Amino acid sequence: MKRIEILGPGCAKCHKLAEVTQEAANELKLECEIVKVTDIQQIVSRNVLMTPALVVDGAVKCSGRVPSLSELKTMLS
């Protein structure tokens, strides 16, 4: 099972990233856990300077933007 984390303070872009990530995971029929991380200390500890950020199994896949659905599918595959 994949662990997917959405890092950000809870802004509109963070919510959009969570929404599109869930859609991508559903379309790929992935077994995953999606967790929202809003604690600034945890975000900074992962060397993320811009939010929202997407972390898949501990690896930062993107930060500072909301990727398209097709980009997210590639990142999650």
Side-chain angles (χ1 to χ4, degrees), residues 23-59:
E23 185 178 348
N26 290 345
E27 287 188 16
L28 292 170
K29 296 181 169 75
L30 279 183
E31 256 189 68
C32 64
E33 173 187 20
I34 298 177
V35 178
K36 293 180 183 175
V37 178
T38 58
D39 181 66
I40 297 301
Q41 298 292 0
Q42 287 184 27
I43 294 169
V44 171
S45 74
R46 295 181 183 161
N47 295 319
V48 171
L49 301 176
M50 296 180 66
T51 60
L54 177 72
V55 178
V56 180
D57 292 334

Side-chain angles (χ1 to χ4, degrees), residues 13-32:
K13 284 185 179 181
C14 298
H15 291 293
K16 182 65 176 174
L17 178 57
E19 178 184 308
V20 179
T21 300
Q22 183 67 60
E23 185 178 348
N26 290 345
E27 287 188 16
L28 292 170
K29 296 181 169 75
L30 279 183
E31 256 189 68
C32 64

